[in-house]
Amino acid sequence: MLVFIFRRLLVAISVAITVSIISFMLLHLSGDLATAIAGPESTADQVEEIRVAFGLDKPIVQQYFSWLMAAVQLDFGRSYYFQDTVMSLISERLPVTLTLGALALAVATFVAIPLGVLAAIKQDTWIDRLALMIAVVGQAMPSFWFALTLIVVFAVNLHWLPAGGNSTWQHFILPAIALGYYAMPAMMRLTRTGMLEVLGSDYIRTARAKGLSETSVVFKHALRNAVIPVVALAAVELGFMLGGSIVIESVFSLKGLGQLAWDAISRNDYPVVQAVVLIIAVFYIALTFVADVINAMLDPRLRVR
């Protein structure tokens, strides 16, 4: 198990370094950052002053290693627009995005797994078809449209929940449902497929032949094996939700990391953009690593692959 964890850790570090190189290079290849920071009305001398002040006159490889060494120490520089340290901005916004992602994953998991199990048990019945229809609608419906629909119904017409902001826990309910519904279909379909495969296996037939109750067969023997790929998918979905929360945060006016990234991109605040991309990537890689370890613990055969 330790060898497996060590191998996965090396892969995770390699991927994180690759992502940092790609994000750094792409941002610098998008145009002259000194001109973008100075603005269209600036003179050549002002642009040159900014280029020297921010180290943009140095070779790009040297700029990358200087930025990477500082980033390892959680020093991402200062924001050009917000006039504050990038780490301070991220520390303020990150808890909002993590809270939204965790709540959305909880919504997706608590709906997808029971629905997937029920669809597998009731295969080819109206319950199965209803569950598949819910999944198809969830996949086909744009998340921003569903978010706006929730606002119109529950905030504007019924006045049950607030339409925007993040000052209380009620403000996270509608965004979590909107984001969670986007992740739910894939988890539900994977749970259903896994359950159908497991329920048709020999050891399940043996368990039934021994006279075990159907509840024990389904929840004690089948669900544990069927849910293994769902664990990995849940980690991936959480990573997607953290990265893709920019739309939901914009719709509900949540001051999270996605909203910060959008403000930074629109104002050419590239230290903030670089830091947000790197942090989201590291979270995504860490979640995938944790999912691999959990899967290996649940299924020892995965350790030798």
Side-chain angles (χ1 to χ4, degrees), residues 161-173:
L161 293 165
N166 53 274
S167 54
T168 66
W169 63 270
Q170 289 98 331
H171 289 85
F172 286 90
I173 294 177

PDB file of all heavy atoms in Angstrom, residues 161-173:
ATOM      1  N   LEU A 161     -36.166  31.553   0.025  1.00  0.00           N
ATOM      2  CA  LEU A 161     -34.708  31.612   0.167  1.00  0.00           C
ATOM      3  C   LEU A 161     -34.175  32.873  -0.513  1.00  0.00           C
ATOM      4  O   LEU A 161     -34.797  33.389  -1.453  1.00  0.00           O
ATOM      5  CB  LEU A 161     -34.060  30.370  -0.476  1.00  0.00           C
ATOM      6  CG  LEU A 161     -34.355  29.044   0.232  1.00  0.00           C
ATOM      7  CD1 LEU A 161     -33.989  27.866  -0.666  1.00  0.00           C
ATOM      8  CD2 LEU A 161     -33.602  28.952   1.556  1.00  0.00           C
ATOM      9  N   PRO A 162     -33.002  33.368  -0.061  1.00  0.00           N
ATOM     10  CA  PRO A 162     -32.428  34.568  -0.702  1.00  0.00           C
ATOM     11  C   PRO A 162     -31.911  34.265  -2.104  1.00  0.00           C
ATOM     12  O   PRO A 162     -31.511  33.141  -2.411  1.00  0.00           O
ATOM     13  CB  PRO A 162     -31.282  34.939   0.247  1.00  0.00           C
ATOM     14  CG  PRO A 162     -30.955  33.686   0.971  1.00  0.00           C
ATOM     15  CD  PRO A 162     -32.219  32.913   1.084  1.00  0.00           C
ATOM     16  N   ALA A 163     -31.943  35.303  -2.934  1.00  0.00           N
ATOM     17  CA  ALA A 163     -31.534  35.117  -4.336  1.00  0.00           C
ATOM     18  C   ALA A 163     -30.043  35.273  -4.550  1.00  0.00           C
ATOM     19  O   ALA A 163     -29.505  34.791  -5.550  1.00  0.00           O
ATOM     20  CB  ALA A 163     -32.280  36.118  -5.216  1.00  0.00           C
ATOM     21  N   GLY A 164     -29.345  35.939  -3.633  1.00  0.00           N
ATOM     22  CA  GLY A 164     -27.915  36.155  -3.836  1.00  0.00           C
ATOM     23  C   GLY A 164     -27.215  36.520  -2.548  1.00  0.00           C
ATOM     24  O   GLY A 164     -27.849  36.803  -1.530  1.00  0.00           O
ATOM     25  N   GLY A 165     -25.858  36.509  -2.589  1.00  0.00           N
ATOM     26  CA  GLY A 165     -25.052  36.822  -1.414  1.00  0.00           C
ATOM     27  C   GLY A 165     -24.567  35.564  -0.722  1.00  0.00           C
ATOM     28  O   GLY A 165     -24.919  34.443  -1.111  1.00  0.00           O
ATOM     29  N   ASN A 166     -23.734  35.745   0.302  1.00  0.00           N
ATOM     30  CA  ASN A 166     -23.209  34.583   1.021  1.00  0.00           C
ATOM     31  C   ASN A 166     -23.027  34.858   2.521  1.00  0.00           C
ATOM     32  O   ASN A 166     -22.127  34.345   3.157  1.00  0.00           O
ATOM     33  CB  ASN A 166     -21.877  34.124   0.426  1.00  0.00           C
ATOM     34  CG  ASN A 166     -20.865  35.239   0.319  1.00  0.00           C
ATOM     35  OD1 ASN A 166     -20.857  35.963  -0.671  1.00  0.00           O
ATOM     36  ND2 ASN A 166     -20.042  35.407   1.328  1.00  0.00           N
ATOM     37  N   SER A 167     -23.934  35.679   3.078  1.00  0.00           N
ATOM     38  CA  SER A 167     -23.786  36.054   4.484  1.00  0.00           C
ATOM     39  C   SER A 167     -24.348  35.010   5.456  1.00  0.00           C
ATOM     40  O   SER A 167     -23.938  34.954   6.606  1.00  0.00           O
ATOM     41  CB  SER A 167     -24.472  37.403   4.730  1.00  0.00           C
ATOM     42  OG  SER A 167     -25.817  37.352   4.290  1.00  0.00           O
ATOM     43  N   THR A 168     -25.301  34.163   5.019  1.00  0.00           N
ATOM     44  CA  THR A 168     -25.877  33.141   5.905  1.00  0.00           C
ATOM     45  C   THR A 168     -25.880  31.793   5.184  1.00  0.00           C
ATOM     46  O   THR A 168     -25.662  31.724   3.973  1.00  0.00           O
ATOM     47  CB  THR A 168     -27.328  33.487   6.297  1.00  0.00           C
ATOM     48  OG1 THR A 168     -28.150  33.437   5.127  1.00  0.00           O
ATOM     49  CG2 THR A 168     -27.402  34.875   6.918  1.00  0.00           C
ATOM     50  N   TRP A 169     -26.181  30.723   5.931  1.00  0.00           N
ATOM     51  CA  TRP A 169     -26.181  29.399   5.321  1.00  0.00           C
ATOM     52  C   TRP A 169     -27.323  29.227   4.322  1.00  0.00           C
ATOM     53  O   TRP A 169     -27.225  28.447   3.383  1.00  0.00           O
ATOM     54  CB  TRP A 169     -26.261  28.320   6.406  1.00  0.00           C
ATOM     55  CG  TRP A 169     -27.529  28.340   7.229  1.00  0.00           C
ATOM     56  CD1 TRP A 169     -27.729  29.031   8.380  1.00  0.00           C
ATOM     57  CD2 TRP A 169     -28.758  27.666   6.944  1.00  0.00           C
ATOM     58  NE1 TRP A 169     -29.012  28.831   8.843  1.00  0.00           N
ATOM     59  CE2 TRP A 169     -29.670  27.986   7.972  1.00  0.00           C
ATOM     60  CE3 TRP A 169     -29.178  26.813   5.928  1.00  0.00           C
ATOM     61  CZ2 TRP A 169     -30.966  27.494   8.017  1.00  0.00           C
ATOM     62  CZ3 TRP A 169     -30.483  26.319   5.953  1.00  0.00           C
ATOM     63  CH2 TRP A 169     -31.350  26.653   6.987  1.00  0.00           C
ATOM     64  N   GLN A 170     -28.400  30.015   4.497  1.00  0.00           N
ATOM     65  CA  GLN A 170     -29.508  29.913   3.542  1.00  0.00           C
ATOM     66  C   GLN A 170     -29.085  30.352   2.133  1.00  0.00           C
ATOM     67  O   GLN A 170     -29.653  29.896   1.144  1.00  0.00           O
ATOM     68  CB  GLN A 170     -30.695  30.768   3.993  1.00  0.00           C
ATOM     69  CG  GLN A 170     -31.418  30.232   5.215  1.00  0.00           C
ATOM     70  CD  GLN A 170     -30.960  30.911   6.482  1.00  0.00           C
ATOM     71  OE1 GLN A 170     -29.819  31.348   6.571  1.00  0.00           O
ATOM     72  NE2 GLN A 170     -31.845  31.007   7.463  1.00  0.00           N
ATOM     73  N   HIS A 171     -28.086  31.234   2.065  1.00  0.00           N
ATOM     74  CA  HIS A 171     -27.637  31.719   0.765  1.00  0.00           C
ATOM     75  C   HIS A 171     -26.970  30.626  -0.065  1.00  0.00           C
ATOM     76  O   HIS A 171     -26.800  30.781  -1.274  1.00  0.00           O
ATOM     77  CB  HIS A 171     -26.650  32.877   0.943  1.00  0.00           C
ATOM     78  CG  HIS A 171     -27.282  34.141   1.429  1.00  0.00           C
ATOM     79  ND1 HIS A 171     -27.504  34.408   2.760  1.00  0.00           N
ATOM     80  CD2 HIS A 171     -27.784  35.219   0.754  1.00  0.00           C
ATOM     81  CE1 HIS A 171     -28.075  35.584   2.896  1.00  0.00           C
ATOM     82  NE2 HIS A 171     -28.257  36.105   1.698  1.00  0.00           N
ATOM     83  N   PHE A 172     -26.557  29.521   0.581  1.00  0.00           N
ATOM     84  CA  PHE A 172     -25.845  28.463  -0.146  1.00  0.00           C
ATOM     85  C   PHE A 172     -26.783  27.357  -0.652  1.00  0.00           C
ATOM     86  O   PHE A 172     -26.349  26.491  -1.400  1.00  0.00           O
ATOM     87  CB  PHE A 172     -24.778  27.830   0.761  1.00  0.00           C
ATOM     88  CG  PHE A 172     -23.587  28.719   0.972  1.00  0.00           C
ATOM     89  CD1 PHE A 172     -23.563  29.623   2.026  1.00  0.00           C
ATOM     90  CD2 PHE A 172     -22.493  28.659   0.130  1.00  0.00           C
ATOM     91  CE1 PHE A 172     -22.462  30.449   2.230  1.00  0.00           C
ATOM     92  CE2 PHE A 172     -21.389  29.474   0.320  1.00  0.00           C
ATOM     93  CZ  PHE A 172     -21.381  30.377   1.378  1.00  0.00           C
ATOM     94  N   ILE A 173     -28.051  27.374  -0.214  1.00  0.00           N
ATOM     95  CA  ILE A 173     -28.940  26.256  -0.554  1.00  0.00           C
ATOM     96  C   ILE A 173     -29.207  26.190  -2.055  1.00  0.00           C
ATOM     97  O   ILE A 173     -28.990  25.158  -2.705  1.00  0.00           O
ATOM     98  CB  ILE A 173     -30.261  26.369   0.234  1.00  0.00           C
ATOM     99  CG1 ILE A 173     -29.987  26.185   1.738  1.00  0.00           C
ATOM    100  CG2 ILE A 173     -31.261  25.315  -0.251  1.00  0.00           C
ATOM    101  CD1 ILE A 173     -31.220  26.349   2.606  1.00  0.00           C
TER     102      ILE A 173
END
